[in-house]
Structures are given as structure tokens and as C-alpha cells.
């Protein structure tokens, strides 16, 4: 019982720390701002590059996560693969 009370006290103190509060109000100097990257700065991956990247992830026992960019082709917006990253597999 003593350990449970101690655990609750310590977790309660950690929840109200100034680090967490500075992230919520945006006063931190490390604000993460997104930058719009134009089409001329990104090259889409070819089909064979995507297939090789996915096979590399699967051979390592990981899952492939594709990072997609939007590109306008003939006045129609389409998705193109900009990068493939490997992430851990879900385990249920």
C-alpha cells in the first residue's frame, strides 16, 4: 500500500512539470514548424525503387511505411511515393 501511494505521488508531480506546460503554451524555443516543400525539391521514387525498399524492410522483419506526396498531373491531383521507411510490425 505504501508503494502504491508513493507511486501516485511521484506520477502526480511529474504530470505538472514546467517542461510539459512549456510545450502546451508554445513558449518553448524548440517549436516545430512545418515547411512547405515545393515539387521541384522532391523527386518521386520509381516503381522499382519502391519495390526494392519494401522488400528490404520485409527481409529485415519490419513493415514498410510509405511517405506520400501529392502531385498535380494534367490538372488532377495524385499521390506519389516520396520515401519508404521501415517501422516495427504491430504485435497484438
Amino acid at each position: 500500500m505504501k508503494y502504491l501511494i508513493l507511486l501516485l505521488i511521484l506520477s502526480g508531480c511529474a504530470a505538472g512539470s514546467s517542461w510539459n506546460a512549456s510545450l502546451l503554451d508554445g513558449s518553448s524555443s524548440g517549436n516545430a514548424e512545418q515547411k512547405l516543400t515545393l515539387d521541384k525539391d522532391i523527386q518521386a521514387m520509381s516503381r522499382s525503387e519502391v519495390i526494392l525498399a519494401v522488400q528490404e524492410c520485409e527481409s529485415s522483419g519490419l513493415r514498410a511505411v510509405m511517405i506520400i506526396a501529392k502531385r498535380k498531373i494534367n490538372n488532377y491531383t495524385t499521390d506519389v511515393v516520396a520515401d519508404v521507411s521501415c517501422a516495427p510490425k504491430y504485435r497484438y
Side-chain angles (χ1 to χ4, degrees), residues 12-24:
C13 293
S17 68
S18 62
W19 178 79
N20 193 14
S22 67
L23 287 179
L24 293 176

Side-chain angles (χ1 to χ4, degrees), residues 11 13 15 23 26 31 35 42 45 52 56 64 66 73 76 81 85 87-88:
S11 63
C13 293
L23 287 179
N31 285 345
K35 179 185 165 200
I42 297 176
M45 294 177 70
L52 286 173
E56 188 176 311
M66 288 178 247
I73 300 172
Y76 176 74
V81 179
S85 298

Side-chain angles (χ1 to χ4, degrees), residues 5-90:
I5 293 172
L6 181 64
L7 180 67
L8 289 174
I9 291 171
L10 290 177
S11 63
C13 293
S17 68
S18 62
W19 178 79
N20 193 14
S22 67
L23 287 179
L24 293 176
D25 67 1
S27 63
S28 174
S29 62
N31 285 345
E33 294 185 18
Q34 293 183 353
K35 179 185 165 200
L36 179 64
T37 305
L38 300 176
D39 190 32
K40 61 184 176 184
D41 298 333
I42 297 176
Q43 295 296 322
M45 294 177 70
S46 68
R47 184 174 188 265
S48 61
E49 289 175 332
V50 173
I51 291 171
L52 286 173
V54 170
Q55 287 176 347
E56 188 176 311
C57 289
E58 289 176 351
S59 68
S60 300
L62 301 170
R63 66 181 172 97
V65 177
M66 288 178 247
I67 299 171
I68 298 172
K70 299 261 185 202
R71 181 172 282 176
K72 198 170 223 180
I73 300 172
N74 293 334
N75 210 16
Y76 176 74
T77 304
T78 185
D79 295 334
V80 294
V81 179
D83 191 22
V84 177
S85 298
C86 297
K89 289 186 175 180
Y90 291 117

